[in-house]
């Protein structure tokens, strides 16, 4: 075998080893996320879980934020797999959206670290993200986010064609529903709600997870129906007023 072919073989083997190590690091990061949450996930602990020096992690990733972004990609890919398994074009658009909303909500409840990761990403501006994450990783993150969002947008378009959902930009609305659900599920993550029995005396209550879950799903469906629900309600009220006049 020529020296040129041997060199190519060595490069390929090195590249494969690099990809395997990156997968090991991401897998370890997610394991620690699921065990402890994102706040308590330290690079030292991730390196120890993989069995490497932490300096090697920074050879593979630009920083902690980039590693966390790629761990979010791993979550998003699993989420899309679950949505794909649950989705059925034979259902009505409303029932399809309800099934996928249930799947998304249950995924967030099952993996609280996913909610933390996704919310952390949403709190950053685009400029901040590009300052912390390299462009190839941003492409991977955007691709992973686009898959479930495009699925939801397709269902919204189907609902618009049948007159069930409001006539709004479906790409925007899919992103809005994603963000809205994450915000709702953050309440379950915190586990608390606040009310005031009287001025100056706030009361802290436990947030019932079942209530948060059902409210998040209902909010998704209500937002998708949107102005159509208000219009229908107005017509119904006018009709009742006409009957009694």
């Amino acid at each position: 075998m020529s020296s040129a072919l041997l060199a190519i073989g060595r490069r390929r083997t090195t590249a494969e080893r690099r990809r395997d190590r990156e997968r090991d690091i991401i897998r370890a990061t997610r394991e620690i996320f699921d065990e402890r949450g994102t706040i308590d996930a330290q690079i030292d602990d991730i390196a120890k879980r993989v069995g490497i020096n932490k300096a090697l992690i920074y050879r593979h990733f630009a920083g902690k934020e980039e590693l966390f972004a790629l761990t979010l990609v791993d979550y998003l890919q699993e989420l899309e797999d679950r949505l794909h398994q649950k989705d059925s074009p034979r259902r009505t658009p409303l029932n399809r959206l309800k099934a996928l909303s249930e799947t998304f909500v249950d995924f967030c409840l099952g993996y609280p670290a996913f909610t933390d990761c996704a919310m952390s990403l949403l709190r950053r501006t685009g400029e901040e993200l590009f300052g912390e994450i390299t462009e190839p990783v941003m492409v991977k993150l955007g691709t992973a986010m686009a898959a479930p969002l495009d699925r939801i947008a397709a269902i919204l378009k189907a609902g618009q064609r049948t007159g069930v959902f409001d006539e709004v930009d479906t790409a925007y609305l899919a992103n809005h529903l994603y963000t809205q659900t994450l915000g709702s599920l953050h309440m379950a993550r915190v586990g608390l709600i606040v009310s005031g029995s009287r001025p100056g005396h706030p009361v802290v209550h436990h947030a019932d997870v079942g209530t948060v879950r059902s409210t998040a799903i209902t909010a998704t469906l209500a937002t998708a129906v949107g102005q159509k629900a208000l219009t229908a309600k107005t017509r119904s009220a006018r009709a009742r007023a006409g009957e009694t006049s």
Side-chain angles (χ1 to χ4, degrees):
M1 186 179 294
S2 70
S3 58
L5 289 175
L6 285 172
I8 292 172
R10 283 196 295 271
R11 285 198 296 271
R12 184 179 296 116
T13 302
T14 300
E16 289 172 351
R17 286 201 301 268
R18 182 179 179 86
R19 286 193 296 270
D20 288 343
R21 178 168 286 169
E22 287 176 356
R23 283 193 291 266
D24 289 343
I25 294 169
I26 292 169
R27 181 166 53 247
T29 304
R30 179 166 171 179
E31 286 175 358
I32 292 175
F33 276 7
D34 291 335
E35 292 169 8
R36 310 177 192 173
T38 58
I39 294 176
D40 293 327
Q42 303 299 321
I43 293 296
D44 284 339
D45 296 329
I46 295 167
K48 189 178 296 183
R49 182 71 61 98
V50 180
I52 60 175
N53 186 291
K54 74 173 184 178
L56 287 175
I57 291 181
Y58 292 105
R59 292 185 185 179
H60 291 271
F61 307 97
K64 185 176 181 179
E65 291 76 14
E66 182 163 292
L67 172 56
F68 284 15
L70 284 169
T71 306
L72 179 58
V73 168
D74 191 70
Y75 279 115
L76 287 165
Q77 289 171 340
E78 182 179 335
L79 171 62
E80 169 57 18
D81 288 342
R82 294 193 184 192
L83 294 176
H84 174 73
Q85 292 170 12
K86 196 70 176 179
D87 194 15
S88 173
R90 292 190 296 273
R91 293 176 175 170
T92 65
L94 190 65
N95 285 334
R96 285 180 72 188
L97 185 60
K98 181 175 184 291
L100 266 58
S101 178
E102 291 171 343
T103 302
F104 182 33
V105 167
D106 289 340
F107 186 83
C108 292
L109 291 173
Y111 297 107
F114 164 73
T115 305
D116 289 347
C117 255
M119 289 294 290
S120 176
L121 182 70
L122 291 172
R123 285 192 289 267
R124 286 177 166 84
T125 65
E127 184 176 347
E128 288 171 340
L129 285 173
F130 276 104
E132 298 170 346
I133 302 172
T134 59
E135 185 173 347
V137 173
M138 284 292 291
V139 171
K140 288 183 179 180
L141 181 58
T143 302
M145 290 182 66
L149 290 172
D150 287 348
R151 181 179 297 279
I152 297 299
I155 294 173
L156 293 171
K157 287 179 182 178
Q160 288 176 350
R161 288 194 295 269
T162 59
V164 177
F165 295 148
D166 203 6
E167 293 289 339
V168 296
D169 182 85
T170 54
Y172 163 79
L173 189 54
N175 279 266
H176 179 87
L177 293 175
Y178 172 80
T179 306
Q180 175 179 283
T181 301
L182 288 173
S184 298
L185 271 296
H186 188 63
M187 182 184 294
R189 185 80 172 100
V190 173
L192 300 173
I193 57 176
V194 179
S195 64
S197 58
R198 62 183 188 275
H201 293 79
V203 179
V204 178
H205 307 272
H206 173 70
D208 178 70
V209 174
T211 301
V212 175
R213 178 184 185 276
S214 62
T215 303
I217 295 166
T218 300
T220 291
L221 300 178
T223 303
V225 174
Q227 293 294 326
K228 285 186 172 294
L230 297 176
T231 304
K233 185 175 181 179
T234 302
R235 285 199 301 265
S236 178
R238 287 174 178 170
R240 285 196 301 272
E243 291 171 359
T244 57
S245 60

